[in-house]
Amino acid sequence: RFLPKLKALCDSLTSEQQRPSSEFQKMVRDELYITVPNLFRCPISMDVMRSPVSLSTGVTYERTSIQHWLESGHDTCPATMQILQSKDFVPNLTLRRLINLWAQSHGPASPASPPSLSSQQLTSLVQYLETENEKFNQSLLHSLSKMVDFAKAGDENRKFLANFNGFVPAIVGVLNREGVEIEVLESVIRVLDLILPQNGVKEQLRQLLTKSNRNCFSSIRLLLQKGSLSSKIESARVLDSIALEAESKRLIAEKEGLLSVLNDLLSSETDQNLHGVVFSCLASVSVTRTVKAELVRFGLVRVITTTLLNPDTTIWLAEKCLKLLSTIATCAEGRSAISEEEKCAAAVAERLMKVSRSATEDGLAVLWSVCCMLGDKRARESVMRSNGAAKVLLVMQSGYGEGNFVRRMCGDLIKVLSVGLGLGLSYDTKTLHIMPC
């Protein structure tokens, strides 16, 4: 059935030689259909994979497709619908080589072809970024927009940018300037967000931001306050990514009022993706009692409770809530706030076994903190009314946790929840792995 189309294609070769190459290639693809092996197609997008990665289930997907699936709150393998024990994925290099070989032998350009941006072009841009220029904003915005499109095109392009000598310092240098227009800052933060997953970028970015004159954090704060929704998400994600050790976490928590700005986003914006990255960032930087107590004063426990009670909250967002709440619960102010928030303990108990294993353990830590360590009667009553004892028992029987830590928490909770209400608020426990501050 391909013969008529193939004959027409051959007859038109001579007349089509004057067409631009891109138009001619499009005509070839439209006129001659090539059977693509199903193994080479992403199960989500059904396109030939450019950067195939495999989940723990063994199923391989295009990197960008599976990232979007997981970041949308799913915790299952799209093809098998199995619950993922881990959301990590690894590059399928063997399949990638097979796809490249197949593409080379079937005419269309390889999906892993070299980047179209040359080293010479990128060198010129890096040099320009490092110079002072009164027309810096106007001339740079166009170049950065093209670079964003280039980085979005594929993982190979992002790797090319991340590994290019001097690129990351030059792009961070734009954040460190004064008077840069917000549109330029948005393009810079978008490029940084796109190359974050590449090897070594997070550590390099952390060193550059923490050793700068701190104007970088002012630029990020401006984006969080006045940038577009996508820029706010990207800015919070960049902050979260550099919170790798004590110094960077302290800087984020103490400089430029970033904690307050991040908290304000939870009330001024309703987007769940933004809330999720903000919760994640706050959990990453909450390493001292002072920071945790400040988050409590912001009213964060009530915000988390409302989010957990919302039936439209995605699993991914609920997991971020539980992680942050378990961090807050390690300080006395946090435990008191959780106890005083009437529906908080019940909301946590309701999420047990409905989220990932690690998030369920975070929820148990919260319940243990208020029901056992604090010995709060109201919290125990709230958990009991939500059938919390049965859920804790189910977690215990499911073999959650490494070692005996989670099992001990479950045992402590079962005991205090089984005691008749009103028989005392204290409980003697040997579960010491959660250290209060």
Side-chain angles (χ1 to χ4, degrees):
R1 65 177 181 274
F2 297 117
L3 287 177
K5 291 183 178 181
L6 185 57
K7 184 178 183 300
L9 177 62
C10 293
D11 291 342
S12 62
L13 285 178
T14 302
S15 61
E16 295 294 342
Q17 285 178 345
Q18 301 303 317
R19 292 191 182 187
S21 60
S22 58
E23 182 181 350
F24 180 70
Q25 290 174 359
K26 181 179 184 301
M27 183 271 294
V28 171
R29 288 193 295 268
D30 290 342
E31 294 293 327
L32 182 59
Y33 296 91
I34 298 174
T35 301
V36 179
N38 289 332
L39 182 65
F40 296 168
R41 293 187 182 276
C42 172
I44 297 176
S45 67
M46 298 308 295
D47 293 329
V48 177
M49 289 181 280
R50 295 174 178 267
S51 180
V53 294
S54 299
L55 293 178
S56 57
T57 57
V59 181
T60 299
Y61 301 90
E62 169 62 29
R63 181 188 294 270
T64 55
S65 296
I66 194 61
Q67 279 181 331
H68 183 268
W69 171 268
L70 296 175
E71 290 174 358
S72 298
H74 300 94
D75 63 348
T76 57
C77 172
T80 65
M81 295 311 293
Q82 290 177 262
I83 299 293
L84 296 173
Q85 298 301 318
S86 169
K87 292 186 178 181
D88 296 334
F89 46 74
V90 295
N92 191 330
L93 300 180
T94 300
L95 181 58
R96 181 174 176 176
R97 285 193 293 267
L98 290 174
I99 293 174
N100 289 341
L101 290 172
W102 171 86
Q104 292 169 7
S105 63
H106 285 78
S110 168
S113 57
S116 58
L117 182 65
S118 70
S119 297
Q120 184 177 2
Q121 290 173 313
L122 194 52
T123 298
S124 298
L125 178 59
V126 168
Q127 292 173 346
Y128 179 73
L129 291 175
E130 295 171 343
T131 62
E132 295 290 342
N133 191 318
E134 61 181 7
K135 296 182 179 180
F136 183 78
N137 287 305
Q138 294 85 349
S139 56
L140 182 61
L141 183 58
H142 181 65
S143 297
L144 285 173
S145 298
K146 286 188 173 181
M147 191 169 295
V148 169
D149 293 337
F150 175 79
K152 286 181 177 179
D155 191 58
E156 285 297 315
N157 292 2
R158 293 187 285 273
K159 185 181 299 183
F160 175 69
L161 292 176
N163 293 335
F164 192 85
N165 185 37
F167 175 74
V168 176
I171 204 81
V172 171
V174 180
L175 292 177
N176 207 31
R177 296 192 181 199
E178 296 182 358
V180 179
E181 293 181 357
I182 194 166
E183 291 82 2
V184 173
L185 295 177
E186 286 182 326
S187 294
V188 168
I189 208 72
R190 190 156 298 133
V191 172
L192 289 175
D193 181 59
L194 285 167
I195 65 175
L196 274 178
Q198 303 302 321
N199 289 336
V201 171
K202 292 180 181 180
E203 176 59 26
Q204 188 178 7
L205 188 57
R206 180 195 67 79
Q207 293 179 4
L208 290 168
L209 290 180
T210 55
K211 292 180 180 179
S212 70
N213 65 12
R214 307 298 192 264
N215 197 57
C216 286
F217 291 107
S218 297
S219 296
I220 293 176
R221 181 184 63 180
L222 178 63
L223 288 172
L224 290 170
Q225 292 174 317
K226 299 182 179 181
S228 64
L229 176 60
S230 60
S231 295
K232 292 175 180 178
I233 293 173
E234 291 152 359
S235 298
R237 198 150 49 208
V238 167
L239 286 176
D240 190 19
S241 71
I242 67 170
L244 301 176
E245 39 69 56
E247 176 64 13
S248 57
K249 293 179 181 182
R250 182 187 65 79
L251 280 174
I252 295 172
E254 296 178 1
K255 295 297 292 184
E256 309 296 341
L258 285 174
L259 282 185
S260 177
V261 172
L262 287 167
N263 180 71
D264 290 343
L265 290 174
L266 298 174
S267 57
S268 63
E269 300 282 355
T270 59
D271 184 79
Q272 291 202 14
N273 287 328
L274 176 60
H275 283 205
V277 295
V278 169
F279 285 143
S280 181
C281 184
L282 292 176
S284 296
V285 302
S286 299
V287 293
T288 66
R289 178 173 181 172
T290 301
V291 174
K292 296 170 189 175
E294 186 172 3
L295 295 182
V296 171
R297 288 194 294 272
F298 286 157
L300 202 56
V301 172
R302 174 160 295 182
V303 174
I304 293 175
T305 302
T306 301
T307 304
L308 289 174
L309 290 172
N310 184 354
D312 295 328
T313 294
T314 63
I315 294 175
W316 174 77
L317 180 56
E319 291 173 352
K320 300 299 183 183
C321 288
L322 293 172
K323 179 64 176 179
L324 179 55
L325 196 60
S326 69
T327 303
I328 293 175
T330 58
C331 73
E333 294 86 348
R335 291 189 291 274
S336 296
I338 295 171
S339 173
E340 292 168 4
E341 189 63 40
E342 182 180 357
K343 298 180 180 180
C344 185
V348 171
E350 180 62 30
R351 291 285 177 173
L352 296 182
M353 299 291 288
K354 295 180 180 179
V355 290
S356 67
R357 179 179 293 264
S358 60
T360 292
E361 293 174 6
D362 289 332
L364 285 172
V366 173
L367 296 179
W368 184 89
S369 296
V370 293
C371 293
C372 299
M373 180 180 288
L374 184 63
D376 184 73
K377 179 180 178 180
R378 291 171 300 177
R380 295 203 305 257
E381 291 175 345
S382 178
V383 174
M384 286 294 293
R385 286 195 297 269
S386 64
N387 200 26
K391 294 174 183 176
V392 173
L393 184 60
L394 180 60
V395 173
M396 189 176 186
Q397 293 174 339
S398 299
Y400 271 50
E402 297 179 359
N404 295 321
F405 290 156
V406 175
R407 183 169 291 275
R408 286 178 182 175
M409 280 196 298
C410 290
D412 292 346
L413 283 167
I414 291 297
K415 290 177 183 177
V416 298
L417 294 175
S418 300
V419 174
L421 298 179
L423 294 182
L425 301 180
S426 62
Y427 178 70
D428 184 21
T429 176
K430 296 182 180 180
T431 306
L432 302 177
H433 65 287
I434 301 179
M435 300 301 295
C437 63

